Amino acid sequence: QVQLVESGGGLVQAGGSLRLSCAASGSVFSSYRMGWYRQAPGKQRELVATITSGGHTNYADSVKGRFTISRDNAKNAVYLQMNSLKPEDTAVYYCNAYWAPWDYWGQGTQVTVSS
């Protein structure tokens, strides 16, 4: 069982930055592929970025060059540095831990970007 708790969301002006954190409980954190997803009102949840246990990263085209995902296995944590934020980045951001067949989600943190 893995519990995920996100933090770092908030209100920011367009062009600003935020850093999201996700703290994970449980053992073998380093074995999980970690990810950030987001869901805007009226839209489906979508992938933002993932990072494998080996550190390989993958990004949605819409955030490439602006967002950076990282992990600290010693702290059981994953981060999402978001720069050059746009109003269309407004959403609830969810942390995900995946290691087949296990798939865990956090409760989400709201990010609002004003124009």
Side-chain angles (χ1 to χ4, degrees), residues 26-41:
S27 60
V28 298
F29 169 82
S30 61
S31 298
Y32 285 81
R33 186 194 72 188
M34 301 300 297
W36 289 96
Y37 293 72
R38 67 187 181 187
Q39 187 167 18

Side-chain angles (χ1 to χ4, degrees), residues 2-9 20-26 29 34 36 75-79 93-97 104-109:
V2 174
Q3 292 185 325
L4 305 171
V5 179
E6 302 98 334
S7 61
L20 304 183
S21 299
C22 174
S25 66
F29 169 82
M34 301 300 297
W36 289 96
K75 296 183 178 180
N76 278 16
V78 62
Y79 308 99
Y93 283 70
Y94 296 91
C95 180
N96 173 258
Y104 299 103
W105 294 89
Q107 82 288 349
T109 185

Side-chain angles (χ1 to χ4, degrees), residues 62-92:
S62 59
V63 307
K64 282 181 181 177
R66 300 188 297 124
F67 291 11
T68 302
I69 189 171
S70 61
R71 66 191 295 164
D72 186 337
N73 291 333
K75 296 183 178 180
N76 278 16
V78 62
Y79 308 99
L80 185 69
Q81 178 66 44
M82 305 186 294
N83 299 327
S84 302
L85 282 160
K86 304 175 181 179
E88 50 264 44
D89 294 318
T90 295
V92 177

